[in-house]
Amino acid sequence: MSSEPIERRVSYIADRLRGSQCTICGKKYFKIRDYCGSCGRKSFGKMREIDFFYQKGVLEVCTVIRGATNKFRMLEPFIYGIVSFDGVMVPGRLTDYIVEDEFDPTKFEGREVVARFRRRYSVLPQEIIPTSSLTFTFTDEYYPYMEYNKNDPEEYSNKPGIVSYGVYTSRFRIREGRMERSVPFLDEDAITAAVEAGKIALIHAAIDSKYIKKIYVGSESNPYAVKPIASKVAQVLELGEHAGDGVRAVDAIDTEFACKAATSMFKDAAALSKYASEEGEDFFAMVIGTDNSQSAPRWAPGGELDFFVGFGAAAFIIGNRDVIAEIEGWYSCTSDTPDFWRRDGQRYPMHGGRFTGEPAYFKHVIKAAEGLMNKMNLKPSDIDYFIPHQPNVRFPLKAARRLGFKDEQCLPGLKVAKFGNTYSGSSPVGLAAVLDIAKPYEKILLVSYGSGAGSDAYLITVTPKITEKRSRTEKFNIQWQAENPYLTYVDYNLYRKFKEGI
Amino acid sequence: MTNKPIIIGVGRTSFGEHYGENPEELIEEAGLKALEKAGIERKDLDAVFISDYFLQVTNKIGIEEGFVSELLEVSIPMETLRSFSSALCCACNAIEAGRFDIVLVGGVEKMTDRLDKIRDDLMMLGDPWSYHAGGTPEAFHELMLREYVKTYHLNGEEVEKLMKALAYISCKNHYYGSTNPLAHFYKRKIRVEDAIKTRKRSGRILGLYDFAPISDGASAAIVVSPRKAREIAEKGLRVIGRGSATDYISYFARNYKAGFNATRKAVERALNEAKIPPEKIELIELYDQSTLMELIALEDLGLCKPGTAWQIIHESYQKEDYTYHINGNTLYVNTNGGLKADGNPMGATGGAQIHEAYIQLLGEAGNRQIKFKNNNPYALTMELEGFGTKSYVYILGRWENEL
């Protein structure tokens, strides 16, 4: 059995790579210290907290681990080494990397790396999932270094809306026919993807994370039945003000409604932001849709999903300052339509087969889209981009045509053929893809769908702010993630192994 | 000089796998041999210092002293420490302080009793972050090898020579081990090519033959005050100089990573105390947990310039005479087989080093007796705890009762 107090202390430091710096001599340490070893007693109270979470380091030396310690067995072989963050050394494991037979350390040493938040090692199913950011990837490969500037928010806008966004999909893909799907590495899950997406959204916003006062994480693949993902995201990304003792002044909540768990919260975030601004408070909320989309293996009941499931997360910061896309209106609908479900204690969801189309997906998506267009007095030609939930390529296009949209309005936000169905992140990833290319004043109709069943429709108008923020995360935009020279393709067996994780 | 402790008896078990014995039975065997050699009885003992690293986890033994008390049926003061050298250090301190006259130092380890978890346990000797990042006991050595190559800017050809030198260290220690009936790998010689081949086969920087094995075993020594030695003994080893030092637990956080600062400090202290010319040291028993550790130790002990040990070893490899030649002197290193071939039962390992120094300096090594050049040769032992976190150095010379 692992020790819960030890686990909490280790992950508090290692998830964020926290350290201390002496304000007298400037010496930096990995780990939080109350005083400086060189300056001694006089440095008490003069240590400053630092972290290396957004920094880039250099892999100084490395070796290959074959014959790992017991809990790391499933990850081997892997590359392990010492990383320097501006002179502060930390040990680390290279992740997102499949080691070939011949190992040549000189191919890796001296290269720049960034910390990645991942599962640390395997534990028994009843134990706490250990995490850490003592895990690295090279900045010159799939995941680039992006600078995080912690500024104060600036311009107010009339309506609340999207302040920034971030999408994370993994480096690994399975390609079958014309469909490519994002596959998690062994140490990834819905939690790690949520943190990654949130991190990118913060970089994109370039506001101090203390302004994020509410975090919603929508997922249907939380590895815990009881324990929020949002608390981990809030702690690692340091959302809200630090209230002392590692506690943060932030409201964190997980939501669940199949694939619309995240989109449903956009309106809540926007409403709260509006309310807070009337109270004179700076309020930003982060909404994340994250899923290691679940499916039984192909040979098992429910296995028909295994042709479509993806992996990824999309995060949106919603507020009323520095807004890049205003939320103009919304319309939601719900009925009790059990087209897809997973009973408690079951590993994989079940699926209603062909009944998931007409009485489920189409009925709700079309009702919500029509409902909003009627409410806002708009017709399809008034809208530049239509982004429906995308469980496959066929459904969204069919829904778009039925509503009177042209394929060109739908295709820019249709990313399922690149990443697979990312469940809670599905239509949000589409929205991010459109925001990557949208011009000021363009109108976007987003319609999510969650089995069970319901849809949320949003009308979003892009603002001129979008262009100035774009460069901050351009290196890791949807285009880069979808068509990337460093993508690693895996076969079905390796895909299943990666999907199940450590 | 007069209060320097004298080692008047040593004993050890064979090292290797001892399925049949409990740890207390191993230490009993080693202890009885040492008592016999010293020619004393259990009732003569004033105190016992025991060393082991892992009995708590491997054998669920919490208070080792109680077992020794029960075996010897004595109720004298006893303490448990980690390495044999640390126990010997405490024994010497107590004797020099005049507290005790006759002390038994005994070390034991029973690593094979927990074979499936012992490598995880070994990570306890490092920092927690290296473990949490995926480090292994071997990875420390491999990273240091990379640091060494980087620090001394070795080019491709030089690295190849270095890797051959390391393979030769293993081959040399196996050669010596093959002649030592108590060694884990008695009669098990290897070739340089074997060591290189196992690296290739496993796809790792250092291979099976570069690392000391997991062993069981026990060792013991009787340490007495010079006053008592003159009363009861004819000959022994005098601890003429000793030193120890401590370094950061986190290898990655150390400023100097191409060697061990702790050893540099420890040997400096030991040599200052011994006041002998270093070239009179002809036998060195050092802590070759990996072949790299032997190479690094030659530099840390000040026998050669930092960054040059691989050349000295490579020259020896070309001669294949199993000794190192430094500034015209011949140096015997790890003639018991070292940790590589004699075995590495952690808590008992330092005792095997003392045992080897004892039998070699006193001419009791039989057919593997070294022919020393000096009339009055000295031996040096160096033991580490953790990955260079602690280092103990002992300089030992012959002692004969002049009465």
Side-chain angles (χ1 to χ4, degrees):
Chain A
M1 267 319 258
S2 69
S3 158
E4 188 269 342
I6 294 177
E7 185 45 50
R8 191 180 339 186
R9 296 196 299 268
V10 169
S11 78
Y12 186 74
I13 299 294
D15 286 355
R16 178 85 187 188
L17 300 187
R18 289 174 209 273
S20 301
Q21 183 174 25
C22 173
T23 55
I24 302 172
C25 73
K27 191 168 178 184
K28 291 181 191 167
Y29 296 91
F30 169 53
K31 279 184 321 201
I32 295 168
R33 292 187 62 146
D34 294 333
Y35 66 97
C36 165
S38 306
C39 296
R41 228 166 42 195
K42 67 177 181 203
S43 60
F44 267 105
K46 300 213 166 85
M47 300 299 281
R48 186 172 77 90
E49 266 197 40
I50 53 170
D51 69 67
F52 312 110
F53 191 61
Y54 290 94
Q55 303 200 352
K56 60 182 166 184
V58 173
L59 181 63
E60 295 285 343
V61 288
C62 71
T63 184
V64 64
I65 304 288
R66 300 179 201 268
T69 52
N70 290 342
K71 288 178 176 175
F72 284 90
R73 281 281 164 84
M74 284 190 68
L75 285 159
E76 70 176 53
F78 57 86
I79 289 167
Y80 166 82
I82 298 175
V83 171
S84 158
F85 285 100
D86 200 13
V88 183
M89 303 291 174
V90 293
R93 169 173 64 85
L94 183 71
T95 189
D96 280 2
Y97 190 82
I98 300 170
V99 177
E100 306 298 331
D101 289 347
E102 281 283 317
F103 170 71
D104 177 6
T106 58
K107 282 205 302 204
F108 306 97
E109 288 169 357
R111 284 169 69 185
E112 278 184 352
V113 294
V114 277
R116 305 292 299 279
F117 174 75
R118 294 299 171 94
R119 281 194 185 194
R120 201 185 311 143
Y121 45 58
S122 328
V123 288
L124 297 172
Q126 69 268 32
E127 291 180 308
I128 301 158
I129 298 166
T131 51
S132 101
S133 296
L134 292 166
T135 323
F136 305 94
T137 54
F138 293 115
T139 56
D140 56 4
E141 290 183 354
Y142 179 71
Y143 187 96
Y145 165 72
M146 290 170 279
E147 194 181 349
Y148 175 38
N149 290 305
K150 282 186 174 189
N151 300 322
D152 294 325
E154 290 170 6
E155 278 170 60
Y156 285 92
S157 87
N158 296 330
K159 288 176 193 157
I162 296 165
V163 175
S164 76
Y165 61 95
V167 166
Y168 174 75
T169 59
S170 54
R171 178 188 181 156
F172 296 87
R173 295 286 187 277
I174 181 165
R175 180 162 47 195
E176 289 168 322
R178 270 184 293 176
M179 181 100 167
E180 284 190 11
R181 295 181 289 132
S182 172
V183 181
F185 192 56
L186 278 163
D187 54 3
E188 292 188 293
D189 61 18
I191 305 174
T192 64
V195 170
E196 287 281 14
K199 184 179 183 177
I200 297 160
L202 280 170
I203 293 170
H204 186 233
I207 56 168
D208 193 321
S209 56
K210 72 180 180 191
Y211 291 109
I212 315 291
K213 292 175 184 169
K214 175 125 192 178
I215 161 90
Y216 305 88
V217 180
S219 179
E220 55 182 276
S221 55
N222 184 352
Y224 291 98
V226 178
K227 196 212 156 289
I229 296 176
S231 56
K232 186 60 118 179
V233 177
Q235 179 166 300
V236 178
L237 298 182
E238 297 195 333
L239 305 183
E241 297 269 3
H242 190 205
D245 297 332
V247 178
R248 309 205 68 89
V250 63
D251 177 11
I253 187 84
D254 279 21
T255 61
E256 192 271 310
F257 193 145
C259 301
K260 78 171 202 100
T263 55
S264 179
M265 308 323 290
F266 285 179
K267 65 173 84 68
D268 297 59
L272 278 177
S273 157
K274 181 98 176 158
Y275 170 77
S277 69
E278 279 164 17
E279 299 289 310
E281 192 191 343
D282 271 317
F283 184 97
F284 293 86
M286 186 183 270
V287 180
I288 303 179
T290 182
D291 266 305
N292 178 12
S293 308
Q294 296 172 321
S295 163
R298 281 176 191 170
W299 55 84
E304 61 275 19
L305 289 162
D306 208 21
F307 292 92
F308 301 102
V309 290
F311 166 76
F316 293 83
I317 294 177
I318 290 175
N320 65 336
R321 296 180 74 174
D322 301 332
V323 168
I324 60 165
E326 290 180 345
I327 296 175
E328 306 269 359
W330 57 72
Y331 183 95
S332 291
C333 64
T334 306
S335 77
D336 193 38
T337 305
D339 58 324
F340 172 93
W341 69 95
R342 178 165 65 87
R343 287 283 301 270
D344 189 24
Q346 295 295 301
R347 281 195 80 175
Y348 305 115
M350 294 300 287
H351 185 250
R354 64 194 181 90
F355 298 109
T356 60
E358 239 13 270
Y361 178 84
F362 292 106
K363 187 156 80 184
H364 294 84
V365 166
I366 288 168
K367 273 216 183 345
E370 283 177 348
L372 184 57
M373 285 195 286
N374 287 340
K375 185 177 161 188
M376 306 298 291
N377 208 11
L378 291 169
K379 40 187 199 305
S381 58
D382 299 329
I383 290 159
D384 298 284
Y385 301 101
F386 173 60
I387 308 156
H389 173 59
Q390 29 205 280
N392 52 43
V393 179
R394 207 161 47 88
F395 278 22
L397 284 173
K398 203 166 153 189
R401 285 171 199 152
R402 276 209 220 166
L403 283 161
F405 288 101
K406 296 196 177 96
D407 286 1
E408 301 87 80
Q409 285 165 287
C410 191
L411 286 170
L414 188 55
K415 291 294 163 194
V416 62
K418 288 294 177 191
F419 305 121
N421 182 357
T422 47
Y423 285 9
S424 301
S426 175
S427 52
V429 167
L431 175 59
V434 165
L435 291 174
D436 270 355
I437 53 164
K439 294 191 226 12
Y441 310 111
E442 286 188 325
K443 288 195 185 308
I444 300 166
L445 177 62
L446 171 77
V447 186
S448 67
Y449 170 75
S451 291
S455 278
D456 306 306
Y458 289 91
L459 183 71
I460 296 162
T461 305
V462 178
T463 77
K465 268 262 171 205
I466 199 162
T467 41
E468 68 180 81
K469 285 195 191 178
R470 205 163 263 162
S471 63
R472 295 171 188 162
T473 50
E474 209 165 25
K475 284 194 276 184
F476 199 58
N477 65 12
I478 302 283
Q479 172 81 15
W480 170 259
Q481 294 183 51
E483 280 148 35
N484 187 298
Y486 300 100
L487 290 179
T488 305
Y489 291 89
V490 297
D491 61 18
Y492 183 72
N493 286 333
L494 196 53
Y495 153 80
R496 270 323 297 186
K497 185 184 166 191
F498 279 11
K499 195 89 188 149
E500 300 294 337
I502 53 174
Chain B
M1 266 306 259
T2 49
N3 65 344
K4 298 275 181 234
I6 316 284
I7 299 167
I8 61 163
V10 290
R12 61 171 279 191
T13 66
S14 65
F15 289 173
E17 293 179 357
H18 289 279
Y19 308 111
E21 276 114 335
N22 285 319
E24 62 269 24
E25 289 157 4
L26 289 176
I27 201 163
E28 184 180 25
E29 182 190 333
L32 290 176
K33 279 183 180 170
L35 285 169
E36 193 186 335
K37 189 130 199 159
I40 58 168
E41 296 296 327
R42 65 192 168 88
K43 291 229 162 75
D44 299 327
L45 294 173
D46 292 333
V48 179
F49 290 93
I50 306 156
S51 63
D52 73 76
Y53 281 68
F54 288 123
L55 286 194
Q56 301 206 355
V57 284
T58 55
N59 296 74
K60 306 275 183 283
I61 286 175
I63 306 186
E64 295 84 333
E65 296 93 316
F67 286 87
V68 177
S69 170
E70 199 165 322
L71 285 168
L72 298 181
E73 295 187 20
V74 291
S75 46
I76 51 176
M78 297 188 195
E79 301 298 338
T80 300
L81 292 110
R82 204 178 298 111
S83 65
F84 191 93
S85 291
S86 65
L88 181 60
C89 176
C90 290
C92 290
N93 285 346
I95 287 166
E96 286 179 12
R99 185 91 188 172
F100 304 129
D101 276 321
I102 305 182
V103 179
L104 168 67
V105 180
V108 63
E109 211 70 61
K110 202 71 182 51
M111 301 173 82
T112 66
D113 280 356
R114 203 173 128 101
L115 205 54
D116 58 331
K117 293 199 178 112
I118 195 70
R119 284 177 63 255
D120 280 49
D121 297 336
L122 286 168
M123 289 306 286
M124 278 190 236
L125 305 180
D127 67 288
W129 302 109
S130 296
Y131 170 75
H132 290 305
T136 61
E138 296 82 9
F140 286 113
H141 300 258
E142 291 167 349
L143 291 184
M144 183 183 252
L145 177 58
R146 295 302 307 157
E147 288 281 355
Y148 187 88
V149 168
K150 218 174 94 176
T151 306
Y152 300 113
H153 309 289
L154 303 188
N155 64 31
E157 201 179 308
E158 289 166 332
V159 171
E160 205 167 297
K161 275 190 179 172
L162 162 69
M163 296 313 288
K164 270 197 187 136
L166 292 177
Y168 171 67
I169 289 171
S170 182
C171 167
K172 170 191 75 82
N173 288 347
H174 267 275
Y175 162 77
Y176 283 128
S178 72
T179 65
N180 177 1
L182 295 174
H184 194 148
F185 295 116
Y186 176 49
K187 291 186 175 167
R188 302 262 290 276
K189 277 194 234 180
I190 64 153
R191 296 168 307 160
V192 168
E193 304 86 76
D194 299 329
I196 291 170
K197 227 183 276 169
T198 57
R199 290 177 194 152
K200 281 234 170 74
R201 208 178 302 141
S202 65
R204 286 165 36 185
I205 300 181
L206 294 174
L208 179 70
Y209 288 127
D210 285 294
F211 292 102
I214 303 284
S215 319
D216 303 333
S219 57
I222 307 291
V223 192
V224 300
S225 64
R227 185 176 58 83
K228 194 53 112 181
R230 282 192 293 275
E231 269 177 40
I232 63 169
E234 282 171 15
K235 59 178 182 173
L237 294 188
R238 192 202 293 269
V239 182
I240 62 164
R242 59 197 175 91
S244 68
T246 312
D247 203 348
Y248 303 171
I249 185 78
S250 310
Y251 169 67
F252 62 82
R254 295 179 196 160
N255 293 329
Y256 174 62
K257 294 200 227 3
F260 294 128
N261 256 332
T263 302
R264 294 172 164 207
K265 294 252 162 66
V267 73
E268 194 186 315
R269 284 166 195 164
L271 282 169
N272 277 345
E273 190 182 336
K275 294 188 183 71
I276 55 152
E279 59 271 15
K280 282 201 160 178
I281 298 169
E282 292 189 56
L283 168 64
I284 290 187
E285 285 290 313
L286 50 77
Y287 203 68
D288 60 318
Q289 207 168 36
S290 70
T291 51
L292 179 71
M293 293 298 94
E294 177 157 332
L295 181 145
I296 292 289
L298 293 184
E299 296 182 3
D300 289 340
L301 290 170
L303 298 162
C304 59
K305 267 197 235 142
T308 64
W310 61 276
Q311 291 165 330
I312 288 162
I313 298 163
H314 194 264
E315 279 159 26
S316 169
Y317 162 52
Q318 280 160 333
K319 285 188 187 154
E320 271 203 68
D321 62 354
Y322 305 119
T323 55
Y324 299 142
H325 305 279
I326 302 171
N327 302 329
N329 297 314
T330 301
L331 195 64
Y332 292 88
V333 175
N334 286 345
T335 51
N336 59 344
L339 279 61
K340 175 69 211 78
D342 190 4
N344 183 22
M346 313 288 286
T349 301
Q353 298 180 318
I354 300 292
H355 186 276
E356 183 68 10
Y358 186 98
I359 60 172
Q360 290 287 2
L361 287 182
L362 297 185
E364 297 177 8
N367 58 358
R368 56 191 189 87
Q369 179 63 46
I370 299 169
K371 290 184 182 67
F372 291 109
K373 208 166 80 182
N374 290 292
N375 289 332
N376 191 14
Y378 294 94
L380 181 150
T381 70
M382 187 275 277
E383 185 176 16
L384 298 176
E385 284 185 13
F387 192 64
T389 301
K390 295 184 78 180
S391 184
Y392 292 88
V393 171
Y394 289 93
I395 298 173
L396 307 158
R398 278 180 199 150
W399 173 86
E400 270 163 37
N401 202 338
E402 281 141 23
L403 287 178

